[in-house]
Amino acid sequence: KSLFDFYIAQMITSAKKSVFDLNWQDYLKSNPNPRNPVVREYTENAIDKSIKEFCSESSAKVYREIFTFSHTKNFQKMLTHITYGDKYSCSYYDNIKHPRFPKLQFVIIDDEEVIFVSSAYRPHFCAIRDKRIVSIFNNYFEQAWTLSKVIKDKDDVKHDIIEKIRTAYIKDE
């Protein structure tokens, strides 16, 4: 199993106030470091479980996630995540018009740590706790969030946006 993915899941579960997740997919059609599909599903389930746990706690927490829909699984993941309650918000970028923009994937935990999450970074997975560097990534995430199209903000789910995404990106249905 991927210890790094379990580290990410643990950090999400133990976050005290916020998780900002830039979960957009890069334009590359193939990952230079693909994971075993069974391991990938197992670790993705662990991360999804940690997001649900984080969002179900009674304290004032915020989980914000930015998507692209390069893969159908991201649409299904978004449909699941929007059911996690009012602590969960998400948005997306249209990657049909601009599919070939390189995208870093990272998660920011409590404004204290940035974790680079793509298996394409292997073997150079890393997590950084330098406040100055985390601040730079936090500012980047805030700008990306501001420029993205909101799908869900707390309790407000934009069903019309979800239908637009389904029509534009999901071809198998």
Side-chain angles (χ1 to χ4, degrees), residues 115-133:
I115 306 168
F116 297 91
V117 297
S118 175
S119 61
Y121 306 149
R122 195 179 320 166
H124 305 291
F125 286 128
C126 67
I128 300 170
R129 291 189 179 178
D130 183 300
K131 291 268 190 192
R132 297 166 299 170
I133 292 172

Side-chain angles (χ1 to χ4, degrees), residues 108-159:
I108 302 169
I109 307 292
D110 290 330
D111 301 328
E112 296 174 1
E113 181 174 13
V114 62
I115 306 168
F116 297 91
V117 297
S118 175
S119 61
Y121 306 149
R122 195 179 320 166
H124 305 291
F125 286 128
C126 67
I128 300 170
R129 291 189 179 178
D130 183 300
K131 291 268 190 192
R132 297 166 299 170
I133 292 172
V134 174
S135 176
I136 291 167
F137 280 91
N138 213 5
N139 288 335
Y140 181 79
F141 183 90
E142 289 298 332
Q143 289 176 46
W145 181 264
T146 299
L147 296 172
S148 64
K149 185 172 274 293
V150 173
I151 300 167
K152 179 181 185 272
D153 187 22
K154 299 177 183 164
D155 280 333
D156 182 22
V157 178
K158 313 268 191 232
H159 294 284

Side-chain angles (χ1 to χ4, degrees), residues 4-14 43 46-47 50-51:
F4 196 77
D5 290 321
F6 290 113
Y7 176 76
I8 294 165
Q10 176 188 356
M11 295 310 295
I12 290 171
T13 301
S14 65
T43 58
I47 290 171
S50 71
I51 295 168

Side-chain angles (χ1 to χ4, degrees), residues 91-105:
S91 64
Y92 84 104
Y93 273 90
D94 178 356
N95 60 320
I96 291 175
K97 293 178 185 169
H98 307 288
R100 294 183 54 92
F101 180 80
K103 302 165 190 82
L104 284 173
Q105 289 179 275

Side-chain angles (χ1 to χ4, degrees), residues 1 24-25 28 31 37 70 78-79 83 86 95 98 101 107 109 124-125 142-143 146 150-151 154 167 169:
K1 311 288 185 261
W24 54 10
Q25 298 294 312
L28 298 173
N31 184 336
S70 304
M78 179 269 302
L79 289 177
T83 67
D86 66 350
N95 60 320
H98 307 288
F101 180 80
V107 175
I109 307 292
H124 305 291
F125 286 128
E142 289 298 332
Q143 289 176 46
T146 299
V150 173
I151 300 167
K154 299 177 183 164
T167 301
Y169 292 94

